[in-house]
Amino acid sequence: MSAPLRYGLIGTGMMGLEHQRNLNAIEGVEVVAAADPEPASLAAAVATAEGRAIATFSDYRELLAADLCDAYVISSPNFTHRAVLDDVMASGKAIMVEKPMCTTVKDARHILERAQTYPNVFWVGLEYRYMPPVQHIINVAAGGELGEIAMVAIREHRHPFLVKVGDWNRFSENTGGTLTEKCCHFFDLMRLIAQSNPVRVMASGDQRFNHLDERYDGRTPDILDNAFVIVDFENGVRASLDLSMFAEGSVNNEELSIVGRTGKAEAFIPSGQVRVGQRKKWNRGVAEETITDDRVLVEGFHHGASFLEHLDFAEAIRNQTPALVTAEDGYWSVVMGAAAHLSIDEGRVVAIRELL
Ligand SMILES: NC(=O)c1ccc[n+]([C@@H]2O[C@H](COP(=O)([O-])OP(=O)(O)OC[C@H]3O[C@@H](n4cnc5c(N)ncnc54)[C@H](O)[C@@H]3O)[C@@H](O)[C@H]2O)c1
């Protein structure tokens, strides 16, 4: 039995604690340290350690200097990722950085370039592809059951952004904007399903209802709460995103459909339902089932996806095999979010090459 992999958490707010609960439940790994400038967040990490020893630091650079870890999980606010990554990458240790990899295309490009020669696993936390029903229909599409893939449609109808430590998520300058911060997940799924890179983006959206009555140092939040985005891919696949963040009155928060030449697959989150049908059988041949994964020991806020992602991350570290969610995935999802924002800001179709 090899020694447990030792993890350090950088940022122990909502997502950092989800990572910690996942890691607590996984054999052969342990969270040995945490860094967060907010005392309440550090105290929450100590509580979540449930009696296990955990070294705490108010500055992540002290955590790096202590050199206690084999891997770092970065869950600090989006706007900190670029600087934190620059320091953590000097360690040469395995890294999982939360989405979005960075808030701007320039910073994402910088990190991508560094990651390409990084001597250890560099993983971006785009875990929606690990949601069991989503993974199921991705596999159905990749296995050829739907024929040549032509269209991907994603709808996210959910609650508004939650309250964060220091309210950092109320301003686009901190998050990269809603379509980068939140929707990088969906752009990543589109690219993964299309098996192609985007060429152009058209989007329409605004801040219709949410957070308009809030004030932070006299400023009103500027984050979009609804949008439609259309993406064309190099190989002719087209994809759409329908986002509403004032749609609590929904059974499912995410609905995905993939349509190919011969069939269609759909997944619904959180119900876990999937449907797969073939054109030649019309609606009589649509098979419906609920997909779960018995390996999930911690559901977290993401229906077990971040738990499953950690199983693969740990395997990649142990075997020193490439990340399965890469800096390139992180980069493209930021590019697509930025293109969608530019399209909204300027009311026009944006060619992806304008941003590269
Ligand atoms: N993958 C997902 O589905 C998912 C879901 C939620 C959040 N996230 C991402 O996780 C990250 C954290 O989000 P959250 O919801 O946990 O926010 P949060 O506000 O709940 O927690 C962020 C924590 O980071 C700490 N922090 C701030 N600056 C820091 C620094 N320089 N070093 C270390 N810690 C620092 C804050 O004090 C806070 O405790 C963001 O990048 C967010 O986009 C991802």
Side-chain angles (χ1 to χ4, degrees), residues 3-292:
L5 293 172
R6 300 161 305 163
Y7 287 62
L9 305 175
I10 297 178
T12 55
M14 191 211 91
M15 198 61 209
L17 296 183
E18 174 159 327
H19 288 300
Q20 188 177 5
R21 291 188 196 101
N22 289 332
L23 294 165
N24 286 348
I26 294 175
E27 292 277 334
V29 309
E30 58 189 19
V31 175
V32 298
D36 196 302
E38 173 60 43
S41 297
L42 266 189
V46 171
T48 304
E50 294 170 350
R52 300 170 185 86
I54 182 168
T56 56
F57 302 88
S58 58
D59 188 322
Y60 72 90
R61 286 164 292 201
E62 293 165 17
L63 163 63
L64 296 175
D67 195 17
L68 302 169
C69 304
D70 305 303
Y72 295 105
V73 178
I74 302 170
S75 314
S76 53
N78 303 357
F79 66 92
T80 66
H81 290 181
R82 155 82 199 249
V84 171
L85 277 170
D86 266 336
D87 291 334
V88 179
M89 288 175 97
S91 74
K93 302 293 172 69
I95 296 172
M96 178 185 284
V97 61
E98 262 308 336
K99 53 62 29 183
M101 189 165 83
C102 293
T103 56
T104 66
V105 173
K106 183 168 168 268
D107 287 351
R109 159 67 59 186
H110 166 79
I111 296 301
L112 172 64
E113 282 166 6
R114 287 198 67 182
Q116 277 161 344
T117 54
Y118 195 61
N120 207 321
V121 179
F122 183 94
W123 192 293
V124 181
L126 289 160
E127 84 288 355
Y128 276 41
R129 49 170 92 189
Y130 279 94
M131 289 179 184
V134 174
Q135 187 146 55
H136 182 85
I137 64 166
I138 290 171
N139 291 342
V140 164
E145 250 181 84
L146 311 177
E148 182 191 349
I149 302 304
M151 302 175 78
V152 180
I154 301 179
R155 166 177 290 164
E156 180 169 67
H157 280 192
R158 56 160 273 178
H159 50 275
F161 280 115
L162 300 173
V163 173
K164 297 291 166 188
V165 177
D167 304 307
W168 62 268
N169 66 346
R170 282 346 195 212
F171 294 96
S172 297
E173 69 200 20
N174 295 336
T175 66
T178 300
L179 301 176
T180 302
E181 141 67 21
K182 167 102 282 288
C183 302
C184 58
H185 281 302
F186 306 120
F187 296 135
D188 179 57
L189 290 179
M190 289 175 186
R191 217 181 125 251
L192 178 66
I193 295 163
Q195 290 288 299
S196 183
N197 283 327
V199 288
R200 74 184 72 81
V201 172
M202 290 150 268
S204 168
D206 69 4
Q207 182 182 11
R208 192 66 182 271
F209 302 125
N210 293 353
H211 316 301
L212 290 167
D213 54 351
E214 299 173 11
R215 297 290 177 276
Y216 302 92
D217 295 330
R219 294 169 68 207
T220 307
D222 65 354
I223 43 177
L224 304 191
D225 59 17
N226 74 101
F228 288 108
V229 183
I230 296 173
V231 184
D232 288 342
F233 286 85
E234 272 166 12
N235 64 357
V237 171
R238 53 178 51 87
S240 72
L241 170 68
D242 160 358
L243 173 74
S244 171
M245 298 191 71
F246 39 83
E248 291 92 329
S250 307
V251 173
N252 284 297
N253 293 137
E254 285 96 16
E255 303 179 15
L256 279 78
S257 91
I258 308 172
V259 191
R261 183 185 287 274
T262 59
K264 169 174 168 175
E266 295 172 278
F268 301 87
I269 309 289
S271 73
Q273 196 183 27
V274 303
R275 295 183 196 143
V276 180
Q278 296 296 329
R279 288 177 73 183
K280 62 181 181 213
K281 295 185 180 166
W282 293 70
N283 61 358
R284 293 180 304 281
V286 179
E288 269 192 69
E289 57 184 317
T290 301
I291 301 290
T292 55

